[in-house]
Amino acid sequence: MNYKVSENYVMFRADGSNRIGLGHVFRCLALAEELKKIKIKSLFVITDFEKKIEEVIRDYGHEVLLMPAGSTIEEQISFSTKIAKAYRVKFILMDLSNHYFLSNINGYQSYIKALKAAGNVLIMIDGLFKDCISTKVNLPVDMIIMPYLGAEEIDCKKNQKIKYLLGLKYFIL
């Protein structure tokens, strides 16, 4: 594959499907649209669950790279780190608090560690209550966003190095 090289890409790592829902992808699309206004390009790395999701993202004018459905954590790590390096991505926003990653928290932790080891700034949108990964394990991310009512009350594994944005004032429309 030939990849574009640019200094002003933000990589979004989110998935969506009938089973997962589309909230993760549309939340990232809202952020990407705001970044577009200040001339920052968005690159979406999504799992190839449903072609329609790729089409929606492309309709908004954003680049999409598809990770094969059924990829192992190791394959996802390899794919994502290669893409981030090829695009010279510095910022990665991950919105992956879904059943797949919640059922494999150790794998998700490995994924995050690999992306961080590659020198990326990692921003994670976390879930709430049973879908909250950051209450289960410490993650080497730079920022955690929990844009939900009641998030301020959650006892995250507070790490002094992580910036926490908790509560409705961070809800992304």
Side-chain angles (χ1 to χ4, degrees):
M1 272 192 229
N2 286 329
Y3 302 114
K4 294 180 182 176
V5 175
S6 175
E7 293 290 334
N8 61 344
Y9 270 98
V10 170
M11 185 171 108
F12 289 90
R13 180 64 188 94
D15 286 331
S17 69
N18 286 335
R19 194 168 158 200
I20 295 171
L22 296 175
H24 303 280
V25 171
F26 278 100
R27 180 167 41 203
C28 290
L29 268 173
L31 288 170
E33 286 298 291
E34 291 303 310
L35 290 172
K36 190 189 312 184
K37 292 176 185 175
I38 57 171
K39 309 281 189 253
I40 296 174
K41 297 176 185 173
S42 295
L43 169 66
F44 283 77
V45 175
I46 63 171
T47 302
D48 191 10
F49 289 131
E50 298 173 24
K51 241 355 173 195
K52 185 67 178 161
I53 296 165
E54 175 191 5
E55 293 169 12
V56 168
I57 296 168
R58 288 192 193 282
D59 286 347
Y60 277 88
H62 302 290
E63 289 187 56
V64 182
L65 294 174
L66 299 174
M67 190 173 321
S71 296
T72 66
I73 286 290
E74 293 77 17
E75 291 167 335
Q76 291 190 42
I77 289 169
S78 176
F79 188 88
S80 297
T81 54
K82 285 177 185 173
I83 297 302
K85 184 176 180 182
Y87 277 78
R88 295 187 184 165
V89 166
K90 294 293 179 220
F91 293 88
I92 299 175
L93 189 137
M94 302 185 78
D95 193 346
L96 292 170
S97 288
N98 60 53
H99 69 276
Y100 173 76
F101 286 100
L102 288 166
S103 68
N104 187 0
I105 290 176
N106 291 333
Y108 186 62
Q109 195 172 22
S110 296
Y111 196 174
I112 296 279
K113 285 179 179 178
L115 291 172
K116 188 64 183 167
N120 300 292
V121 174
L122 297 179
I123 302 165
M124 183 179 98
I125 299 178
D126 203 355
L128 192 62
F129 304 123
K130 68 178 177 53
D131 294 337
C132 183
I133 294 172
S134 61
T135 59
K136 296 169 179 50
V137 293
N138 285 316
L139 298 168
V141 297
D142 299 284
M143 180 183 292
I144 293 176
I145 304 169
M146 275 191 245
Y148 311 107
L149 179 65
E152 305 94 325
E153 310 302 319
I154 291 187
D155 184 25
C156 301
K157 293 185 182 283
K158 298 283 186 184
N159 179 328
Q160 299 296 349
K161 295 178 184 175
I162 298 174
K163 172 78 174 168
Y164 292 88
L165 303 179
L166 307 173
L168 281 179
K169 67 182 177 181
Y170 301 105
F171 193 78
I172 302 159
L173 295 174

